[in-house]
Amino acid sequence: MNELATFSKGAGRVLGSPLRLLSGTLLYVAVVFAVSTIGYILCGWPVGDAAYMVLLTIFSVGYGEVRPIDTAFLRLWTTATIVLGCTGMIVLTSALVQVFTLFQFRQLLGANKMQSEIDRLKDHAIICGMGRIGLQLAKALTDARHPFILIERTAEKAEEARAAGWLVLVGEATQEETLRAAGIDRARVLASVLPDDAANVFITLSARSLNPAVQIIARGEAPTTERKLFHAGADKVVLPTHIGAERITELILYPATDSRIHEAEHMADARRFLHDLGLDVEVVTAIDKGALTGATVGEAERRGAGAFFIVQIDRVNGQSIQHPGEDVNIEAGDTLVLVVRGTRLSAGAIFGLPAKPVKQGRTYVG
């Protein structure tokens, strides 16, 4: 890697000179053209004839003399224009060839360097699409120092990815050749997050056929696409619209949990840890004459059939009971911190919360 970088920098220094040569030669040809034209004008030629004569001469077109070259000065001036102008054009042509070769070489060198880095990837992630979700994924994986490669079909977005220091392939992720170039056979996970459901299904099918062991996480826009993605071979399907609607529903029905959990840093850390274990933290307010109001902690947990367990009770009078015993009673108005399995809304159902708790002026689950 270091040797390749050193070679690239050295080649850049060596091949950078054609640009300087090209700019210098252009300046030289422009000066010859201007001075030679002025010479013909001083001999009484019109400006148009003088410029046209110099142009024909330095480009060696050979159409003939515009006006008679009948004096010694004109012959000498024309000879000097031929020598200096033609020499300048030869050097200019050479400089142009070198510049074109330089950019082609740099493009080839960059492509080889990129492919070399991709070939060294193993157990990496492949992100198909650099939209909003793909961009957030790339940033998160960068922070986590997890190797990944982006597949993006538009050159503009691919250039943005390269500027950010990310590996990126320009191509269609729906094509098997592109997936192979991204190292699908060595990848640990592929995330297909394009906004096109049909493309995500096709990518899932292709990836599964190329690497049966790769974990595939696919995005779906329409709820009906979820079954198709699973059938195509996806291990997990994410429906951003559904997740957003579910989150808004939680905020409407249960506004207390977010404020309570996020107020305490240790609670937020605990929640992240529990989430890794498939659990979640939830806050419930026991309502008057609720299904479990008046029951003991042990009874409530047994009736929940393992769906939750109570880790803290906050009384209305300010008393806080952490790790309550099975014989502690649940009273109306108590705020209960639960560790639950499943969704948040399930705990509300267990505690018998009314269908429209907001209208009754109470805050229930967060």
Side-chain angles (χ1 to χ4, degrees):
M1 179 66 183
N2 293 333
E3 293 178 357
L4 185 60
T6 302
F7 175 73
S8 177
K9 290 179 180 178
R13 287 193 297 267
V14 172
L15 295 177
S17 57
L19 292 174
R20 294 192 295 271
L21 176 62
L22 177 62
S23 59
T25 305
L26 285 172
L27 178 61
Y28 169 80
V29 171
V31 171
V32 170
F33 180 85
V35 172
S36 183
T37 301
I38 292 172
Y40 285 111
I41 293 173
L42 293 177
C43 291
W45 287 30
V47 175
D49 289 351
Y52 187 59
M53 177 66 183
V54 174
L55 193 64
L56 293 177
T57 303
I58 62 177
F59 276 94
S60 304
V61 176
Y63 282 162
E65 298 170 354
V66 177
R67 286 174 173 266
I69 308 298
D70 52 4
T71 65
F73 175 79
L74 283 175
R75 293 191 184 96
L76 179 62
W77 195 256
T78 302
T79 301
T81 301
I82 293 172
V83 174
L84 298 177
C86 292
T87 301
M89 292 305 299
I90 292 172
V91 177
L92 179 61
T93 302
S94 175
L96 286 171
V97 172
Q98 292 183 51
V99 168
F100 289 142
T101 304
L102 165 66
F103 283 108
Q104 290 177 351
F105 179 78
R106 283 182 173 174
Q107 185 177 7
L108 178 63
L109 185 63
N112 288 341
K113 180 181 177 182
M114 178 75 71
Q115 191 60 51
S116 178
E117 293 181 6
I118 293 173
D119 292 340
R120 284 196 293 270
L121 289 176
K122 187 177 181 181
D123 295 330
H124 59 289
I126 299 175
I127 302 174
C128 302
M130 195 181 162
R132 289 184 304 240
I133 296 178
L135 185 61
Q136 293 299 321
L137 277 175
K139 290 179 179 178
L141 291 177
T142 300
D143 294 339
R145 297 184 179 179
H146 190 286
F148 69 92
I149 179 173
L150 281 159
I151 299 178
E152 173 55 45
R153 62 183 177 183
T154 60
E156 294 79 8
K157 289 186 177 180
E159 191 59 36
E160 293 177 10
R162 292 192 187 96
W166 300 332
L167 288 176
V168 60
L169 277 179
V170 180
E172 292 286 349
T174 54
Q175 297 180 358
E176 292 187 357
E177 293 77 8
T178 306
L179 293 177
R180 289 194 183 96
I184 185 64
D185 57 320
R186 305 182 307 276
R188 185 180 67 84
V189 60
L190 178 141
S192 184
V193 292
L194 295 171
D196 185 349
D197 284 355
N200 288 329
V201 171
F202 196 86
I203 292 170
T204 300
L205 282 169
S206 300
R208 181 58 68 206
S209 65
L210 293 173
N211 185 356
V214 69
Q215 182 184 18
I216 300 176
I217 303 172
R219 168 188 178 182
E221 290 297 318
T224 54
T225 308
E226 184 176 11
R227 181 179 57 84
K228 298 176 183 177
L229 287 168
F230 279 126
H231 185 71
D235 297 288
K236 296 181 180 179
V237 176
V238 178
L239 302 174
T241 305
H242 177 74
I243 292 173
E246 187 178 66
R247 177 61 176 152
I248 293 172
T249 303
E250 291 177 357
L251 291 174
I252 293 173
L253 294 178
Y254 312 121
T257 295
D258 276 324
S259 59
R260 184 178 184 85
I261 289 178
H262 291 293
E263 282 173 1
E265 184 177 353
H266 69 281
M267 288 294 288
D269 293 337
R271 185 184 180 191
R272 285 191 291 269
F273 174 74
L274 290 171
H275 187 270
D276 293 337
L277 301 178
L279 305 173
D280 204 350
V281 179
E282 197 169 304
V283 177
V284 174
T285 300
I287 63 175
D288 188 20
K289 297 181 182 181
L292 298 179
T293 302
T296 64
V297 170
E299 291 172 352
E301 291 179 349
R302 283 191 292 274
R303 289 174 63 179
F308 67 91
F309 59 92
I310 302 170
V311 296
Q312 182 174 323
I313 298 177
D314 293 335
R315 303 286 193 194
V316 177
N317 60 9
Q319 180 187 8
S320 181
I321 305 173
Q322 296 185 357
H323 309 294
E326 291 189 355
D327 57 345
V328 176
N329 287 323
I330 300 172
E331 301 175 358
D334 284 351
T335 299
L336 311 175
V337 180
L338 313 175
V339 173
V340 301
R341 296 184 178 92
T343 65
R344 290 187 181 181
L345 300 180
S346 63
I350 292 169
F351 276 78
L353 297 183
K356 298 180 180 179
V358 176
K359 289 187 177 181
Q360 298 192 16
R362 298 294 302 272
T363 299
Y364 299 101
V365 182

